[in-house]
């Protein structure tokens, strides 16, 4: 939701154009262009003034405009939990003097986001404590998301050139004159489920310092999206959070639809809700299962995975793929669901609860599990917000922020469901929240199923959606539209939009800029994991080494989404 | 895939020229008996996979070892996360330039004989990531025995790949076995 | 957000008897024992698909290997319009066109070369959606494994439909009208008859 008029007015009064704050009208959220000198003061005020109360920095990204004098824009997206409003700030800088003051001191969430902008565009952030490449490897030359960087240009990283935190080499002794030890967890480690690396300094078994290294799965999603048409990006979005592929596609399609001004027909929306919620269940199942597996409980994983396999079966029957389904299209869905869909979903509604019950019976009250997770990896609500956490992890810390409630999309406001929260903010709370979310999702699916009415599944706007096949085979006009859409891609009007949905891990944002062409000018994905994971090394300090595994599992870090 | 195509310097490098991945020439192998056949039989039915899962394919790999497909029915049950304890490297998922040295290190650490299955489009060729940070096929770095297409391959496809590998082991066609055979032939030639 | 929209799920304090490990352990054992005994005597919870003897029955929309359909006279339906090549996000289709000598109209083209690099392909189905002639569709043949990269490039000879269309194990294709098979859950399986001769349309694949 955008800011109320009087709040906007007071913002304009506090920062008039004479001070170098210029409003850019006609945007989806209030947008201001800010001189970089003013940024620290502005940021501090926006965060601390109760009128604005932007406690959360949701996203920082860069945009390259090679033909402009001030070549780069650094774009900040702010969110206020109390007022439920958003703000976008743009700080232009030139290539010769690409330095912006860091806002790390105001919002800690800026930590990795700023590093990413540095890595991708070469914009430096003065005052950032640890400004170095984050996604690309250290031997990489150039900045990949600049428009003049050739997407196929690779650089070889050789053994021994990998990045190492500067403190890892120092010899350090603890108070008893025992040498502390530096240990490398990952990137190929059974408990990291993917490709994360954490370097920890150990004093005995206690972690005294930690640093994460990510980017081992950086697949250049954002660069690739600039080279493909709007609909060709759907398969790429599937591979962001691959545990719940459907939801990424929905989030992306909603963002583009917002830009286009079209809406999916009701039937498509209901199907999107059903499959999204089933995907959420799947994602939570994997997260919980893997977490349990890591702390030593294999059996529940085997039980709940059966449910997952059956959801796969349903997705495959609808879309044709098990994991990466490419089912969503801008403006609707690729195909209608096949016959028997409703019975199949009803079957799942019957099938999943007993499996979850079995798992709960084994785990929830299990004293061993509770002792390993209670009080472990605690993060207070204020800290979690400061780090930019969203999703189940934030809710476990007691902040009831859920995009489905605060900014409903796909008609979520009409469904009756509750947002589970917990107050302790530890690993056990995150487990409890996820289990409850599975149950709430089942409730949503049940209601959505009742609303499934026949109808079209994709908009009939022939500038957006491919015409039906039988028309393409017979009618000349349809064939021409078909040809145009395939060869040139759909034309999305010039503009920019920040579309955000509630992914399995939290706020999944797609900041989309179109220049009117057949593919995005810039597509930035705001992955929820990214914000969550940057707090991880700080959470580890003072914990035992074994706890680090339990914490990591409970955060549900999906490398595909983290590194994109 | 021949050995020659392994380890060509193919990328621009900042700094010193690259050292190609080390490919063992099999010179430490001396056993030459008919027993090999029997051993191959045993080996093929007791593969110890090391799942080098990096991305979405790893999730399908998980499905393969879970109840519905249960890879243990093919004797490849004990998934080991230590390269020293495994002889089959299953590369499941995208390998990026940042990850490649790690993968090569793991492959080098594996005890011989060792086999490699490349699972999924990304590991085989880079898939649709023709991009600045993605390895365009792991055979740039390590020799691959079986390529399993798909994105991700269905569990059945992976099992099919496993069966194919088993056949290859029985027939002595894997990369490793051919290398050993070549080394032996060379040694023989030198003696006579 | 209203308070009524929130459900607080805080940990319940452990009850007295839960403080003993043994009770919980026994309860857990009960669950696993139930599954174990159920499987032992009734295969009540068994879900394993005994592949390859038993096959999981995938839906008609499974995206597997491609097939190029032919007209009645056996010539490919494809008119080499390059739409699938353009739509492919992986750029794995390679087409070279030539003039169709048999055509009655001018400008009719047909593919001389039609290669799909199956190792590049991400099986997204966009090529099927793009084709204006229903020339390229997908089969359910997904159990593939190759030993070399060259082997995986499917050429027009191997891609062309062999035999009548009802012999093809049809997968993802332009969909209109009724589905031939509705979704069923639990996961349907089918028992393979004893090793069958390779099907003609797929004989070329390993
Ligand atoms: S092949 Fe496809 S599913 Fe596998 S890792 Fe690559 S993108 Fe993911
Ligand atoms: S399925 Fe997708 S990747 Fe494969 S050939 Fe068709 S369009 Fe290309
Ligand atoms: S889109 Fe269809 S007709 Fe056109 S080249 Fe491809 S297969 Fe042939």
């Amino acid at each position: 939701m955008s800011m109320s008029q009087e709040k906007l007015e007071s913002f304009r009064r506090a920062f008039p154009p004479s001070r170098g704050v210029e409003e850019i009208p006609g945007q989806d959220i209030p947008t201001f262009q800010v001189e970089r000198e003013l940024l620290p003061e502005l940021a501090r005020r926006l965060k601390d003034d109760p009128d604005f109360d932007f406690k959360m920095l949701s996203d920082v990204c860069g945009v390259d405009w090679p033909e402009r004098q001030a070549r780069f824009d650094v774009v900040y997206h702010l969110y206020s939990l109390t007022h439920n409003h958003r703000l976008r700030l743009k700080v232009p800088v030139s290539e010769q003097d690409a330095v912006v003051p860091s806002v790390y001191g105001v919002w800690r969430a800026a930590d990795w986001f700023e590093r990413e902008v540095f890595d991708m565009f070469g914009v430096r952030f003065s005052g950032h404590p640890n400004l170095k490449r984050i996604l690309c490897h250290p031997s990489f030359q150039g900045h990949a998301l600049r428009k003049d960087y050739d997407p196929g240009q690779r650089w070889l990283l050789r053994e021994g050139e990998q990045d190492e935190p500067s403190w890892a080499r120092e010899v350090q002794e603890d108070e008893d004159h025992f040498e502390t030890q530096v240990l490398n967890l990952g990137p190929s480690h059974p408990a990291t489920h993917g490709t994360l690396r954490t370097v920890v300094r150990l004093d005995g078994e206690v972690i005294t310092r930690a640093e994460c290294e990510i980017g081992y799965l950086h697949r250049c999603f954002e660069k690739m999206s600039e080279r493909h048409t709007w609909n060709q990006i759907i398969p790429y979005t599937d591979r962001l959070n691959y545990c719940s592929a459907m939801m990424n596609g929905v989030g992306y399609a909603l963002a583009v639809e917002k830009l286009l001004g079209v809406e999916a027909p009701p039937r498509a929306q209901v199907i999107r809700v059903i499959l999204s919620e089933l995907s959420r269940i799947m994602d939570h199942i994997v997260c919980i299962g893997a977490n349990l597996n890591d702390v030593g409980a294999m059996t529940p994983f085997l039980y709940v995975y059966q449910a997952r396999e059956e959801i796969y079966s349903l997705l495959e029957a609808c879309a044709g793929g098990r994991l990466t389904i490419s089912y969503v299209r801008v403006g609707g869905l690729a195909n209608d669901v096949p016959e028997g869909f409703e019975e199949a979903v009803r079957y799942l509604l019957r099938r999943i609860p007993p499996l979850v019950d079995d798992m709960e019976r084994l785990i929830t009250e299990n004293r061993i599990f509770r002792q390993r997770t209670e009080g472990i990896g605690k993060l207070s609500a204020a800290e979690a917000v400061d780090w930019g956490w969203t999703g189940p992890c934030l809710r476990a810390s007691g902040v009831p922020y859920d995009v489905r409630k605060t900014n409903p999309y796909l008609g979520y406001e009409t469904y009756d469901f509750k947002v589970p929260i917990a107050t302790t903010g530890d690993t056990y709370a995150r487990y409890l929240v996820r289990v409850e979310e599975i149950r709430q999702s089942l409730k949503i699916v049940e209601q959505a199923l009742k609303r499934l009415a026949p109808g079209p599944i994709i908009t009939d706007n022939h500038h957006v959606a491919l015409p039906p096949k039988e028309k393409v085979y017979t009618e000349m006009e349809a064939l021409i539209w078909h040809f145009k859409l395939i060869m040139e891609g759909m034309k999305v009007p010039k503009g920019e939009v920040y579309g955000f949905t509630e992914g399995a891990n939290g706020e999944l944002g797609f900041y989309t800029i179109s220049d009117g062409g057949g593919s995005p000018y810039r597509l930035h994905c705001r992955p929820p994991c990214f914000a969550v994971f940057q707090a991880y090394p700080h959470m580890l300090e003072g914990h035992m080494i074994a706890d680090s595994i339990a914490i990591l599992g409970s955060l549900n870090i999906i490398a595909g989404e983290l590194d994109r | 895939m021949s050995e020659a195509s392994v380890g060509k310097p193919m990328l621009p490098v900042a700094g010193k020229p690259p050292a190609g991945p080390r490919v063992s020439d099999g010179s430490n192998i001396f056993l030459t008996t008919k027993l090999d056949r029997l051993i191959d039989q045993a080996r093929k039915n007791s593969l110890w996979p090391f799942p080098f899962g990096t991305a979405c394919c790893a999730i399908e790999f998980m499905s393969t070892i879970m109840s519905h497909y249960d890879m243990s029915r093919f004797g490849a049950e004990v998934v080991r996360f230590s390269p020293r304890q495994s002889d089959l490297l299953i590369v499941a998922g995208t390998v990026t330039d940042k990850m490649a040295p790690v993968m090569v290190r793991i492959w080098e650490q594996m005890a011989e004989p060792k086999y490699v299955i490349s699972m999924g489009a990304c590991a085989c060729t880079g898939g649709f990531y023709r991009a600045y940070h993605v390895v365009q096929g792991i055979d740039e770095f390590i020799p691959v025995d079986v390529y399993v297409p798909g994105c991700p391959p269905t569990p059945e496809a992976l099992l099919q790949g496993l069966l194919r590998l088993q056949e290859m082991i029985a027939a002595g066609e894997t990369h490793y076995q051919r290398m050993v055979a070549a080394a032996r032939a060379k040694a023989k030639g030198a003696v006579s | 957000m209203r308070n009524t929209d929130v459900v607080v799920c805080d940990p319940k304090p452990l009850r007295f008897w839960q403080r003993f490990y043994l009770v919980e352990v026994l309860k857990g054992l009960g669950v696993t024992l139930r599954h174990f005994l159920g499987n032992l005597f009734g295969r009540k919870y068994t879900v394993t698909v005994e592949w390859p003897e038993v096959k999981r029955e995938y839906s008609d929309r499974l995206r597997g290997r491609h097939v190029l359909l032919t007209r009645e006279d056996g010539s490919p339906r494809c008119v080499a319009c390059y739409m699938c090549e353009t739509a492919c996000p992986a750029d794995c289709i390679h087409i070279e066109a030539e003039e169709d000598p048999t055509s009655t109209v001018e400008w009719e083209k047909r593919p001389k070369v039609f290669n799909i690099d199956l190792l590049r392909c991400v099986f997204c189905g966009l090529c099927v959606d793009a084709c204006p002639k229903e020339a390229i569709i997908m089969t359910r043949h997904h159990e593939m494994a190759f030993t070399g990269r060259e082997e995986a490039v499917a050429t027009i000879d191997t891609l062309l439909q062999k035999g009548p269309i009802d012999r093809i194990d049809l997968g993802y294709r332009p969909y209109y009208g009724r589905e031939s098979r509705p979704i069923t859950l639990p996961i349907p399986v089918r028992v393979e008859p004893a090793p069958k001769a390779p099907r003609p349309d797929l004989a070329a694949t390993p």
Side-chain angles (χ1 to χ4, degrees), chain B residues 93-153:
Chain B
T94 322
V95 178
T96 60
D97 282 329
K98 201 172 192 173
M99 198 67 180
V102 180
M103 179 184 71
V104 173
R105 170 96 76 96
I106 285 174
W107 180 75
E108 280 173 353
Q109 283 175 342
M110 275 166 58
E112 293 178 340
K114 52 192 169 191
Y115 320 101
V116 179
I117 291 183
S118 156
M119 175 186 180
C122 284
C124 295
T125 62
F128 65 171
Y129 295 103
R130 295 178 188 253
Y132 57 85
H133 204 246
V134 178
V135 172
Q136 302 296 302
I138 56 166
D139 46 14
E140 276 179 11
F141 294 95
I142 57 175
V144 176
D145 292 311
V146 177
Y147 298 81
V148 182
C151 185

Side-chain angles (χ1 to χ4, degrees), chain A residues 10-22:
Chain A
S10 75
F11 180 79
R12 288 192 194 109
R13 245 178 288 120
F15 296 96
S18 57
R19 298 195 60 190
V21 180
E22 195 188 320

Side-chain angles (χ1 to χ4, degrees), chain A residues 228 232 309 316 318-320 322 324 329 336 339 358 365 367 370-371 400 419-421 423 469 473 482, chain C residues 1 5 7 9-10 12 15 18-19 21 34-35 56 59 61 63 86-87 89 129-132 183:
Chain A
H228 288 84
Q232 275 180 337
E309 197 66 43
E316 182 265 320
C318 296
R322 285 158 49 85
T324 49
R329 294 287 182 273
D336 202 351
E339 246 178 273
D358 265 1
E365 311 270 278
R367 199 174 148 191
R370 288 186 67 157
Q371 282 189 340
V419 177
I421 62 164
T423 47
K469 277 281 180 185
Y473 299 148
H482 183 86
Chain C
M1 197 187 302
D5 284 344
V7 39
C9 39
D10 268 339
K12 298 180 207 89
R15 275 166 300 223
Q18 280 171 336
R19 292 180 177 276
Y21 283 100
R34 173 160 60 80
H35 279 255
R56 174 171 180 170
S59 79
R61 291 188 184 175
R63 296 193 295 255
T86 317
D129 293 347
C131 181
I183 311 180

